[in-house]
Amino acid sequence: MAERIEVDPSKIPCPDFAGAAYGFVRKALVTDPDTPDVTTDEEAAQKLRGQWKIENDALKTQFQAQTQADEQLAENNRRLAQEAREQAESEQRQREVEVAKEREKKRTPLYDFNSGVGITSIPQHLHPYAEKRVSQRKFVELWYFTPEASQEAKEHRSTVDTNRLELAANNEEQKGTTAFTLLSTHSTRPSNNVIPDAKLSWSQIQLAKTPFIECLRSTGNYPDKYIAMFASFYTNMEMHNELRKPEGARVMALYHAEMRRAWYLAADHGEPFDLSVFSETVLQECRNEMW
């Protein structure tokens, strides 16, 4: 690698080779048999100027290449610095977007509404335990959709829907120690007042069916086919002659409990059946059980 030139050669003046300082050099050239073309003092000075110019021109060429390399390096450094700044700014903007997204997730979304359209009554409060079970598409007693359960959820929301801290033990057998971790858990507890389906009156079933079906749609995200099946299940019971018989309402309430439980058990095993198909056999079994 060539030695770096610190001074621009074009700014270096040619020495005074005709001066006294170079007299001995000129004399040496005149007497040197290797320079037969130099015979006078003036020719010696001219010879020295020519040699200096050749060397200076070479230095100029080297310095120009060095300057171009320096400029290219500086340009590359500026470009890299600019790219780094742009990358940092882009990452900062991306972080700000992500922060904004996270902040937006925590906010209640605003949906469109029809101007001038209000409500005529306060919507029924859904019991948190029922909401949890329906969202999991698991069986939950129909009582949770009655006005009594709704009132309980409204009055005691803080006790039926709570956040708790629990200790989780991690046994490390190799070390012979037990580590404890504090975990935050969300608890939706069953109601102490829940009534099994088999104990519900027919009037309670009638009051709870619509909130139950609506919850299947809104919370459980059941497909329309399932919503129609459950709706037909209740319609077919309401239209059955059994309700016109003495104690028929009690029999039908038991039929409702047995069929609804049977459907969820079958669904849990991946073999649901059409609940809307009325089973006279099961109805007779319910009659026999009642009497």
Side-chain angles (χ1 to χ4, degrees):
M1 182 176 181
E3 184 177 352
R4 183 173 180 81
I5 300 175
E6 301 298 338
V7 179
D8 184 355
S10 64
K11 299 184 182 302
I12 300 176
C14 179
D16 183 12
F17 291 113
Y22 290 91
F24 73 96
V25 179
R26 294 194 301 274
K27 184 177 181 180
L29 287 174
V30 171
T31 59
D32 188 351
D34 292 332
T35 55
D37 56 325
V38 179
T39 59
T40 66
D41 187 74
E42 177 59 29
E43 289 176 344
Q46 185 62 34
K47 180 73 172 180
L48 291 173
R49 282 192 290 271
Q51 290 177 340
W52 179 88
K53 186 176 185 305
I54 292 173
E55 294 175 358
N56 186 261
D57 287 344
L59 290 175
K60 288 179 181 178
T61 301
Q62 181 182 341
F63 185 77
Q64 183 179 10
Q66 175 183 293
T67 301
Q68 291 175 347
D70 289 345
E71 291 175 352
Q72 184 63 46
L73 178 60
E75 177 60 27
N76 289 341
N77 289 338
R78 284 193 294 270
R79 178 177 55 80
L80 292 175
Q82 179 64 23
E83 291 176 354
R85 284 193 298 271
E86 292 176 354
Q87 178 67 20
E89 292 172 358
S90 175
E91 292 175 355
Q92 178 62 26
R93 288 193 297 270
Q94 184 62 31
R95 284 193 294 270
E96 292 173 355
V97 169
E98 294 300 325
V99 169
K101 287 181 179 179
E102 290 300 320
R103 187 184 301 117
E104 188 63 26
K105 288 179 182 179
K106 298 177 182 179
R107 301 173 65 183
T108 300
L110 295 177
Y111 301 99
D112 193 16
F113 64 94
N114 295 323
S115 298
V117 179
I119 60 173
T120 57
S121 62
I122 301 299
Q124 180 172 321
H125 285 74
L126 181 61
H127 197 286
Y129 181 72
E131 184 176 5
K132 174 185 176 182
R133 296 290 291 179
V134 172
S135 67
Q136 296 172 339
R137 293 178 178 167
K138 298 294 185 180
F139 173 83
V140 63
E141 291 81 357
L142 193 69
W143 175 86
Y144 284 101
F145 303 92
T146 63
E148 294 86 356
S150 176
Q151 186 64 27
E152 177 182 295
K154 180 179 179 181
E155 294 177 354
H156 307 290
R157 186 83 185 188
S158 61
T159 60
V160 297
D161 188 7
T162 60
N163 286 314
R164 299 184 300 175
L165 293 177
E166 295 182 353
L167 280 176
N170 301 316
N171 294 320
E172 300 183 11
E173 297 181 358
Q174 295 180 348
K175 298 181 180 179
T177 61
T178 301
F180 291 93
T181 304
L182 194 61
L183 301 176
S184 175
T185 63
H186 186 262
S187 172
T188 49
R189 292 176 287 177
S191 171
N192 293 328
N193 300 315
V194 62
I195 300 175
D197 282 9
K199 300 295 183 181
L200 290 175
S201 67
W202 183 248
S203 61
Q204 286 177 306
I205 294 173
Q206 290 293 92
L207 289 172
K209 66 172 184 177
T210 300
F212 166 63
I213 293 175
E214 179 56 34
C215 187
L216 294 182
R217 184 194 308 277
S218 61
T219 302
N221 292 320
Y222 279 69
D224 290 342
K225 178 180 180 180
Y226 285 78
I227 300 299
M229 178 194 69
F230 275 100
S232 296
F233 170 58
Y234 286 99
T235 299
N236 291 339
M237 287 188 292
E238 292 166 355
M239 297 176 62
H240 200 278
N241 289 332
E242 185 68 24
L243 291 175
R244 299 179 179 85
K245 299 178 181 180
E247 302 297 331
R250 291 178 58 196
V251 174
M252 194 61 73
L254 181 58
Y255 172 87
H256 164 268
E258 295 293 340
M259 290 295 289
R260 189 163 168 272
R261 170 66 79 173
W263 187 88
Y264 274 97
L265 288 174
D268 284 343
H269 289 85
E271 299 177 350
F273 56 88
D274 189 349
L275 186 59
S276 67
V277 176
F278 197 93
S279 174
E280 294 292 342
T281 302
V282 175
L283 182 65
Q284 184 58 50
E285 292 175 354
C286 292
R287 291 194 193 102
N288 296 339
E289 184 175 340
M290 291 291 297
W291 314 119

